[in-house]
Amino acid sequence: HLEAAAGLVGLVKTALIAKNKAIPPSLHVKELNSLIDFSKLNLSVVTDTTMISHSNACYGVSSFGFGGTNVHVTVESYIQSLPSIQQEI
C-alpha cells in the first residue's frame, strides 16, 4: 500500500504547490553532482522556497511503481473564468 501512497503524496504536494504558488526546497541536497552541467541543460535544483509568478502554471507528477506500473499526470492551475455571482440580501 505504501507504493500507491507515495504516488498520491506526490500529487498532493503538487496540488499544494499550485495552491500556495511556492515550490519548497529539495530535501537533503548538500552538493550538486559535478558531472551534470546544470547551466548547459538549463536546469536548477530548488534550494530555497521559490515563489511562482505565473497565474496559469502547469505541473508534472511522475510515479514509478515497483511492479512496473508508471503514472504520469499533469496538473494545471485553476483560473476562474466566470464572473462571480453576488447575491442580494
Side-chain angles (χ1 to χ4, degrees):
H1 300 316
L2 293 177
E3 194 174 325
L8 187 58
V9 168
L11 182 59
V12 170
K13 180 179 178 181
T14 303
L16 288 171
I17 289 170
K19 177 184 177 193
N20 297 318
K21 297 191 182 324
I23 303 171
S26 298
L27 295 176
H28 313 297
V29 175
K30 294 186 179 166
E31 66 180 69
L32 299 178
N33 186 334
S34 62
L35 299 176
I36 301 173
D37 189 353
F38 286 92
S39 60
K40 183 178 179 182
L41 297 170
N42 197 25
L43 297 173
S44 62
V45 175
V46 179
T47 56
D48 295 312
T49 299
T50 304
M51 300 307 294
I52 300 170
S53 60
H54 307 295
S55 61
N56 186 16
C58 188
Y59 310 90
V61 181
S62 294
S63 181
F64 304 99
F66 182 75
T69 303
N70 301 327
V71 177
H72 309 284
V73 176
T74 55
V75 178
E76 191 170 352
S77 298
Y78 171 75
I79 299 175
Q80 186 174 0
S81 59
L82 299 175
S84 61
I85 298 173
Q86 297 179 355
Q87 293 180 335
E88 293 184 24
I89 300 177

